[in-house]
Amino acid sequence: LQNYNYNTPAGIKLTIDKDIQHIAETAIKSSSVSCGAVVILECATAEIRAISSIPSYTVKNIEEALSDKNLPFLNRALSAYPVGSVFKPVIAVSAIKNDFNLSDSFECTGSLTLGGNNFSCYNHTAHGRVDLNLAIEKSCNTFFIKTGLITGYKNIYETAELFGFGKRTELCSTLISESGNLPDENEVNSEASLANICFGQGSLLATPLQLAAAYNVFANNGIYIEPYILKELINADGKAYAYYKSEDTHYVADKTAIETITNCLYNNMLNGTGVNGKPENVSAAGKTATAQTGRYNDKGEEILCTWFCGYFPFENPQYTVVVFNENGKSASEDCAPIFKEIAERITELKIQPSK
């Protein structure tokens, strides 16, 4: 090592954009989120432009970080958590791929009983007669349960696999995301267990990075691209001699399925649970989730994981963003505003206004 020249250009080039990384870090650190993550992908390539986990640590505060109950050494962007309603568009795509009639609607009375278990919409709200678009806007659990029961778990499982659920992502030899959990058919063996999956609950788990890749499918015309962070290797002359790109790129669904859901996600930003995430200077599409964990704090309150998954501009998507809060209250209150800030600031900096 004593002969090593630390000033040599040799090294690696990452996909990270320092400006976008700064925007992501600033947005989440200045929010109410104490434990969470942000992942930002470039839509066309799935290159990771920003990845942030909080709380963070520095070499100057190692001792303090080791005793921090919020676990700053845990990379939450690569760790798996309950998913909640951001999984509903996957259910919808699976249904459409398996001949779901887009004109179908169901009556939501606020709850549904299956196998002696009661499944309700948020606050037992009765949404009345809802179609797919309204079901996404209202995040109607009973609509997606009924849709999932018709579709069947075998079909849902196959579609979810195509979206990247249940599969770990190896960014480099020492940076590997968890695989999460996509339960197999033996585990989802009753109407009640399937009902839980239909609104992203049960044993379904995913990482923020996985959800970014999944929502990038909607932004990328139905094509899944595995995210990556290592771009090039640079020699001592400052020239690239090895290039990297995603090895896993595949087709998920056809134009009809993707366009149907993207329009629903766009309408959700205008009229549904995503309104607090709507940027002022760019069009966007997205979905909220407030997922139950089955864990409780010392006050007896259930710990909730909240999410916002979306992309922008809607007409020509360039960035897919996932915001995650490990100890949330309401996704529309704590995650959606972070997405809005990120989208607005990236648009100001990176996106040329349309003429």
Side-chain angles (χ1 to χ4, degrees), residues 1-10 236:
L1 285 177
Q2 63 187 133
N3 295 321
Y4 186 84
N5 181 2
Y6 289 94
N7 293 319
T8 176

Side-chain angles (χ1 to χ4, degrees), residues 7 22 37 42 71 81 83 97-98 112 117 145 162 176 182 240 252 281 313 328 347 350:
N7 293 319
H22 178 70
E42 186 166 304
L71 305 176
Y81 299 92
V83 172
K97 289 176 66 173
N98 290 280
L112 186 66
N117 297 285
I145 291 172
L162 291 173
I176 302 171
L182 179 61
V252 175
N281 59 352
T347 298
K350 299 286 186 178

Side-chain angles (χ1 to χ4, degrees), residues 28-312:
I28 193 167
K29 287 179 179 178
S30 62
S31 73
S32 63
V33 177
S34 60
C35 300
V38 173
V39 177
I40 304 176
L41 305 183
E42 186 166 304
C43 296
T45 62
E47 293 181 355
I48 299 173
R49 294 306 188 199
I51 184 166
S52 177
S53 174
I54 63 166
S56 57
Y57 68 94
T58 69
V59 294
K60 294 181 179 180
N61 72 343
I62 292 293
E63 185 176 354
E64 178 184 343
L66 284 169
S67 60
D68 190 337
K69 65 178 182 179
N70 288 327
L71 305 176
F73 289 102
L74 176 65
N75 190 332
R76 288 169 169 84
L78 306 181
S79 301
Y81 299 92
V83 172
S85 293
V86 287
F87 191 67
K88 289 173 179 175
V90 177
I91 299 292
V93 169
S94 183
I96 295 169
K97 289 176 66 173
N98 290 280
D99 302 320
F100 175 80
N101 188 336
L102 291 174
S103 64
D104 279 357
S105 61
F106 299 115
E107 186 71 24
C108 169
T109 60
S111 64
L112 186 66
T113 301
L114 295 168
N117 297 285
N118 185 263
F119 300 92
S120 64
C121 288
Y122 183 68
N123 283 340
H124 296 271
T125 300
H127 296 122
R129 176 72 48 180
V130 292
D131 59 8
L132 178 58
N133 183 67
L134 193 58
I136 287 181
E137 282 187 18
K138 302 296 183 183
S139 205
C140 178
N141 290 344
T142 61
F143 177 94
F144 283 99
I145 291 172
K146 292 177 181 179
T147 301
L149 291 174
I150 294 169
T151 305
Y153 188 64
K154 180 178 184 296
N155 294 324
I156 292 170
Y157 181 91
E158 290 174 353
T159 300
E161 270 197 318
L162 291 173
F163 273 98
F165 289 88
K167 176 180 177 291
R168 74 178 195 169
T169 303
E170 185 172 337
L171 299 176
C172 64
S173 60
T174 57
L175 192 63
I176 302 171
S177 77
E178 293 182 358
S179 60
N181 186 55
L182 179 61
D184 61 29
E185 290 183 73
N186 293 326
E187 186 176 346
V188 185
N189 54 11
S190 67
E191 286 189 337
S193 58
L194 175 52
N196 269 318
I197 297 296
C198 290
F199 57 101
Q201 293 285 175
S203 58
L204 180 70
L205 301 173
T207 69
L209 182 63
Q210 283 176 313
L211 281 168
Y215 270 72
N216 200 51
V217 171
F218 297 113
N220 206 31
N221 299 313
I223 303 298
Y224 174 90
I225 307 174
E226 185 176 57
Y228 65 104
I229 199 167
L230 181 59
K231 190 175 181 69
E232 298 172 349
L233 296 182
I234 310 297
N235 64 21
D237 295 325
K239 296 180 180 179
Y241 65 92
Y243 303 88
Y244 294 85
K245 66 178 182 178
S246 174
E247 295 181 356
D248 184 359
T249 300
H250 58 257
Y251 169 84
V252 175
D254 65 17
K255 183 178 179 180
T256 296
I258 296 301
E259 284 192 352
T260 297
I261 305 307
T262 56
N263 286 330
C264 291
L265 294 173
Y266 173 72
N267 290 332
N268 183 50
M269 301 293 285
L270 301 179
N271 307 304
T273 61
V275 292
N276 286 348
K278 181 180 179 296
E280 298 295 333
N281 59 352
V282 67
S283 58
K287 180 78 182 75
T288 57
T290 301
Q292 295 175 277
T293 66
R295 297 182 293 113
Y296 294 82
N297 61 25
D298 52 11
K299 297 179 181 179
E301 302 166 330
E302 185 170 18
I303 297 170
L304 303 174
C305 289
T306 54
W307 302 83
F308 194 99
C309 303
Y311 52 90
F312 63 94

Side-chain angles (χ1 to χ4, degrees), residues 308-324:
F308 194 99
C309 303
Y311 52 90
F312 63 94
F314 172 68
E315 298 82 3
N316 180 30
Q318 295 186 41
Y319 298 100
T320 296
V321 179
V322 168
V323 180
F324 167 68

